[in-house]
Amino acid sequence: MSAKGLKNTSLSALVVDDDSIARGYLKSALRALECREVQEVSKADQVLPACLRFRPDIVFLDIDLAGSNGLELIGQILQKRSGQYIVMVSAHSTVGNVKQSLESGARGFIVKPFTMAKIREALLNALKIIPVGDLVEGDEGQAIAGNQEQQISAEPEMVDADELAITDLANSDMSIDKA
């Protein structure tokens, strides 16, 4: 899949990762995909203020943050911004991490190292659910864009375990008998 942008449907994004290389790559990829604005933070205590000030359409949130856990931040973010679209990003794609992320309210999960295609897919999935532009939250998870109301889906995107490459055979306790 190419790095084609999302013309006329661009989203704003917040990138949360304490790894500057991962944060920089994701930020560059989002700009290449024509997100209208991309902000970044590297520390857990910066996440809520950034979400409230910037009001991004989508948050890419790392699980492993220095001094904190991105999984714990999901609930805090959703408590303040009930319709926030969150995609977890992590090199630790265990079944437990994926399940906990989705059960906590994340809408997607991307395994590091991520590809442009996976980032684009996350943006396209977000566009199916949230209105583009200024997102104003109303009661009970309602999003109001202009004069049109649209209910934000509470259902997370389905995750294909095969694509997540959850099983790392090199580190598993499985052995191959050599004849």
Side-chain angles (χ1 to χ4, degrees):
M1 186 175 289
S2 70
K4 281 185 177 179
L6 305 171
K7 292 184 189 262
N8 301 319
T9 57
S10 60
L11 298 164
S12 61
L14 176 65
V15 176
V16 182
D17 200 318
D18 58 354
D19 179 336
S20 63
I21 294 171
R23 197 172 60 246
Y25 175 79
L26 186 51
K27 188 174 175 181
S28 294
L30 292 167
R31 286 187 173 145
L33 290 166
E34 300 184 22
C35 281
R36 75 174 186 279
E37 187 174 2
V38 181
Q39 297 284 323
E40 63 180 279
V41 297
S42 61
K43 297 178 183 170
D45 63 351
Q46 299 171 324
V47 175
L48 277 178
C51 282
L52 295 173
R53 182 184 69 252
F54 176 48
R55 302 179 62 78
D57 295 312
I58 187 169
V59 174
F60 288 89
L61 178 61
D62 187 21
I63 288 180
D64 295 320
L65 296 169
S68 186
N69 182 324
L71 294 170
E72 296 168 359
L73 292 171
I74 297 171
Q76 295 173 30
I77 293 168
L78 293 176
Q79 191 172 37
K80 298 290 184 184
R81 291 188 37 91
S82 62
Q84 185 64 67
Y85 194 97
I86 301 170
V87 175
M88 300 305 290
V89 294
S90 181
H92 306 290
S93 60
T94 65
V95 173
N97 277 345
V98 174
K99 185 177 179 185
Q100 188 176 357
S101 295
L102 298 177
E103 287 175 351
S104 297
R107 304 291 181 95
F109 195 101
I110 300 176
V111 179
K112 290 181 183 177
F114 28 73
T115 64
M116 184 70 82
K118 286 294 180 186
I119 297 165
R120 186 173 191 276
E121 182 180 341
L123 294 174
L124 290 172
N125 286 337
L127 286 168
K128 294 176 189 174
I129 294 174
I130 62 173
V132 177
D134 294 327
L135 178 68
V136 179
E137 293 179 3
D139 296 321
E140 300 170 5
Q142 296 268 324
I144 304 161
N147 294 328
Q148 184 179 21
E149 290 189 10
Q150 178 179 359
Q151 180 68 34
I152 296 175
S153 171
E155 289 296 314
E157 292 294 315
M158 294 303 295
V159 176
D160 182 350
D162 291 335
E163 289 184 20
L164 291 177
I166 291 172
T167 305
D168 180 359
L169 294 177
N171 295 323
S172 73
D173 58 0
M174 297 174 65
S175 60
I176 299 173
D177 292 329
K178 294 183 181 180

